[in-house]
Amino acid sequence: MKRHERQERERDERRKAILDAAGQIASEEGLERLSIRKIAERIEYSPGIIYHYFSGKEAIVEQLLQQDYQQFVSDLRAEGAKETRPERVFEQTMRHFIETSLADGSRYRNIMLNESPSVLSQTAVLFRGASEQRAAIGMLCGILRDFENMRDKEDSEIERTAQIIWSAAFGLILRLTVEKEIPAEQKEKLIDTYIALMLAAAKDLPGGSSQ
């Protein structure tokens, strides 16, 4: 292996170690408690070495969220690809979204409720044009577009529908995360009911172009 190739590999390994440590701390304590000092202590690096790879905490958070988001969307796409009918694709995708987010527990809540600009730059989904900048919203728009009653809808209305469906799932995830004592059977029924309601609402939107 050539010297520059070895150096590049070592650099990638250190960046990964920093991001892995940051992710662990975020899961355990929340993003607001993440710091360069804690990351350095976790992997036994000096703070100076970390600053050599990242300009600061905000850069680490942004990279961490981008990494997690890309993997999350990739997983959702893979789950939806198992079905062909749009209704089933919708059901499988949203169920996987909710169950995966619940498995993350407090980490999901800490990230999604964080108001810092660097976090919102990755998690905000309600702005106009979100379907072009947020792969998850864009993916959901694509699923909805395959519904027969949605085929003649304006892109803006499909985007708003996707934003509402996504936000409703977010609310359910937060409540299920906070209310930890809910029996598994009740959780499953709540998820089933959410999917049925959102699917019915999406299919019931009248077809045709809207302003």
Side-chain angles (χ1 to χ4, degrees):
M1 181 181 295
K2 296 180 180 179
R3 181 179 178 183
H4 75 275
E5 292 176 342
R6 183 173 63 256
Q7 290 175 334
E8 188 64 29
R9 187 181 69 177
E10 291 174 352
R11 180 179 179 84
D12 290 343
E13 288 174 350
R14 286 185 175 178
R15 284 179 61 87
K16 183 178 185 303
I18 292 168
L19 290 172
D20 287 348
Q24 292 168 7
I25 295 168
S27 294
E28 295 166 4
E29 304 180 29
L31 282 175
E32 66 279 0
R33 294 185 178 275
L34 182 65
S35 69
I36 297 296
R37 177 185 60 78
K38 288 182 179 180
I39 296 171
E41 290 176 352
R42 178 69 62 102
I43 55 180
E44 299 182 344
Y45 285 1
S46 70
I49 290 179
I50 294 177
Y51 280 113
H52 180 70
Y53 292 93
F54 296 94
S55 59
K57 172 185 170 179
E58 296 299 305
I60 293 174
V61 169
E62 185 171 347
Q63 183 64 43
L64 184 65
L65 292 179
Q66 285 179 353
Q67 177 179 284
D68 287 352
Y69 185 74
Q70 289 168 0
Q71 183 60 52
F72 180 62
V73 173
S74 177
D75 290 345
L76 288 180
R77 291 188 189 280
E79 192 66 27
K82 297 176 182 178
E83 301 290 343
T84 55
R85 291 176 52 234
E87 294 83 358
R88 287 290 295 160
V89 174
F90 176 90
E91 178 183 348
Q92 291 296 98
T93 300
M94 296 311 298
R95 185 180 301 279
H96 189 68
F97 166 43
I98 294 170
E99 291 177 348
T100 301
S101 301
L102 287 173
D104 280 346
S106 60
R107 179 178 179 180
Y108 177 84
R109 184 179 66 211
N110 290 337
I111 290 174
M112 297 305 293
L113 292 179
N114 193 294
E115 298 180 13
S116 72
S118 62
V119 176
L120 281 174
S121 71
Q122 303 298 319
T123 61
V125 296
L126 297 182
F127 59 93
R128 188 172 184 177
S131 58
E132 297 178 0
Q133 296 186 41
R134 297 289 182 267
I137 296 298
M139 176 185 63
L140 182 53
C141 286
I143 295 172
L144 293 173
R145 175 65 76 185
D146 286 337
F147 285 15
E148 186 174 353
N149 65 308
M150 288 285 201
R151 291 172 184 168
D152 295 327
K153 287 286 187 181
E154 296 286 344
D155 289 344
S156 59
E157 184 164 2
I158 291 180
E159 179 181 82
R160 288 194 299 273
T161 303
Q163 289 167 322
I164 294 301
I165 291 172
W166 200 262
S167 298
F170 171 60
L172 177 59
I173 291 164
L174 287 185
R175 292 315 311 170
L176 289 175
T177 302
V178 171
E179 299 183 33
K180 302 180 185 297
E181 303 305 318
I182 296 178
E185 182 181 1
Q186 173 69 356
K187 285 185 180 181
E188 189 66 24
K189 288 181 178 179
L190 288 166
I191 294 171
D192 288 344
T193 300
Y194 160 79
I195 292 173
L197 287 172
M198 293 297 103
L199 186 57
K203 293 177 68 176
D204 193 47
L205 286 175
S209 178
S210 61
Q211 299 299 320

